Amino acid sequence: MSDKAFWRRALPLLLTLVLATALLGGCRREPDAGIIGGADGSTSILLTPSFDSEQLTELTVVLDWTPNINHSGIYAAQALGYFAEQGLDVSIVQPGDNYALQIVAAGQAEFGVSYQEEVTFARAAGLPVLSLAAVIQHNTSCFAAPAGKSIDSVADFSGNIYGGWGGEVEEELLNYLVEQQGMAEPVEIINIGSADFFTATETTVDFSWIFYGVTGVEAELRGVELDVIYLRDIAPEFDYYTPVIVAEEDWLAANGELAGRFMSALSRGYQYADAEPQAAAALLIQAEAGLDAELVAAGQQWLAGQYQGDAPYWGWQDIEVWQGFADWLYQRGLLAEEFDAAAAFSNDYLPQQ
């Protein structure tokens, strides 16, 4: 059976299980019980202590973009009662016209989803934000091109057209790769903004920068063969954390215990997404009905096991990862001063297992 056919048959069952969980959980009190479907078709009982609504502390987490599989652990923690077990009433919101990091820094949300590059530039500009966890342990982004364009190595970028979003880092990275490879012809860069990857590579550009878990998996479902080059395979400094969970330093100083409870629940949510990708996908789809269910399910399966990866526990961040990428930014003139990477993140709010 093809992956596409499998997900079409599996998704109705998964969604039924999740809806059953919601209904059964609503019928029990002291404590609430929910039946959660496992990836192998098994079920388990989740016991969640009851909290009076007045006992719950309200918190907000703002996403970096529209809901997707990078956020599955957040939705799992909410749906499975992990936040409630910690006495938290968590609202998940989208960023609108602003960046999540700006919203957090302004005190309009306690937590946000950002990425290492954004945190680095924000801190260099004096914004007191701190990364509390790496959502995915290794960079899953890559340069991608339809296989027919024969771009299967960095050297093949020479003379081709790149479609980007106008970021300073992506332009400098491409210039760096041209220099490193000694390419005979430069890479032409066209700003395609948020244009569809498939349409753009069929019409105006040869390759682009994608997250494989979304666009790469979509290509698989469409039957489109891609040549991909992961950034983490180009050089160690490009295996940076994306995305990360952030909070504002002053708020953390005054609410450390509360932050620890939030991160404890979140850690359980992402461990669940790692271990039960089909069920985690169903929870995300139930919460955000407008998503492409087939794409979410296939992407979640592809990402399973990568949230924690080879780290000692979920969310763990390595000083070498932060310092290596920051040093590259400084060497390329994108940071005016050397960066104190150790001050940009903390593992102290994570439940170390």
Side-chain angles (χ1 to χ4, degrees):
M1 182 187 298
S2 69
D3 289 342
K4 193 169 185 177
F6 171 81
W7 288 116
R8 282 176 173 164
R9 293 181 62 180
L11 277 170
L13 175 60
L14 292 171
L15 290 170
T16 299
L17 286 170
V18 172
L19 290 172
T21 297
L23 291 172
L24 287 169
C27 295
R28 290 170 169 81
R29 292 183 183 273
E30 305 284 353
D32 292 337
I35 298 178
I36 304 301
D40 59 357
S42 64
T43 60
S44 59
I45 302 298
L46 172 72
L47 297 179
T48 304
S50 293
F51 283 93
D52 187 285
S53 60
E54 294 182 359
Q55 294 178 300
L56 299 181
T57 300
E58 294 183 358
L59 294 174
T60 298
V61 56
V62 58
L63 306 181
D64 56 332
W65 197 244
T66 54
N68 58 68
I69 57 175
N70 286 348
H71 310 132
S72 292
I74 305 173
Y75 283 90
Q78 185 181 60
L80 300 179
Y82 298 159
F83 287 134
E85 287 181 14
Q86 295 290 339
L88 305 176
D89 178 11
V90 175
S91 298
I92 305 170
V93 302
Q94 296 181 40
D97 295 331
N98 297 311
Y99 292 106
L101 188 144
Q102 294 174 323
I103 295 171
V104 170
Q108 297 174 351
E110 287 79 17
F111 298 94
V113 181
S114 184
Y115 48 97
Q116 184 177 330
E117 174 189 335
E118 185 178 46
V119 173
T120 300
F121 285 122
R123 289 191 62 85
L127 212 58
V129 289
L130 194 70
S131 175
L132 305 184
V135 171
I136 304 170
Q137 194 57 214
H138 294 283
N139 192 341
T140 61
S141 70
C142 55
F143 291 112
K149 294 183 182 290
S150 300
I151 303 176
D152 55 9
S153 72
V154 173
D156 295 327
F157 292 177
S158 179
N160 279 299
I161 302 173
Y162 168 80
W165 59 88
E168 189 176 16
V169 171
E170 63 175 338
E171 182 175 352
E172 190 58 40
L173 175 56
L174 288 166
N175 291 336
Y176 171 78
L177 295 176
V178 168
E179 294 172 13
Q180 292 292 304
Q181 294 288 326
M183 296 180 192
E185 298 180 70
V187 177
E188 183 180 352
I189 301 174
I190 294 179
N191 186 352
I192 60 172
S194 59
D196 176 72
F197 167 82
F198 301 97
T199 301
T201 52
E202 287 174 359
T203 56
T204 57
V205 305
D206 298 305
F207 70 108
S208 191
W209 190 345
I210 67 169
F211 280 95
Y212 193 88
V214 179
T215 309
V217 169
E218 183 179 357
E220 292 181 11
L221 294 175
R222 290 184 178 208
V224 176
E225 185 178 354
L226 297 180
D227 287 324
V228 300
I229 303 162
Y230 286 95
L231 268 74
R232 63 182 183 235
D233 294 332
I234 295 174
E237 54 264 36
F238 303 134
D239 192 14
Y240 53 83
Y241 298 125
T242 177
V244 297
I245 304 299
V246 298
E248 197 269 336
E249 286 186 320
D250 289 340
W251 184 87
L252 285 169
N255 298 277
E257 188 271 341
L258 186 60
R261 284 193 278 145
F262 174 87
M263 296 304 296
S264 180
L266 193 63
S267 175
R268 290 182 66 192
Y270 276 106
Q271 289 177 62
Y272 183 87
D274 244 356
E276 303 287 355
Q278 296 177 26
L283 292 174
L284 176 58
I285 293 162
Q286 183 201 23
E288 300 289 348
L291 299 178
D292 183 326
E294 184 181 29
L295 178 59
V296 168
Q300 195 73 63
Q301 188 67 36
W302 180 84
L303 195 53
Q306 297 189 64
Y307 291 109
Q308 179 171 334
D310 53 4
Y313 47 87
W314 177 81
W316 185 80
Q317 301 171 85
D318 190 334
I319 181 61
E320 293 184 1
V321 174
W322 278 89
Q323 196 65 64
F325 185 54
D327 287 348
W328 182 83
L329 293 172
Y330 175 68
Q331 292 161 8
R332 299 301 295 183
L334 296 177
L335 288 177
E337 299 177 351
E338 292 186 355
F339 186 72
D340 182 5
F345 73 95
S346 175
N347 293 322
D348 294 344
Y349 298 90
L350 294 168
Q352 301 180 12
Q353 301 165 358

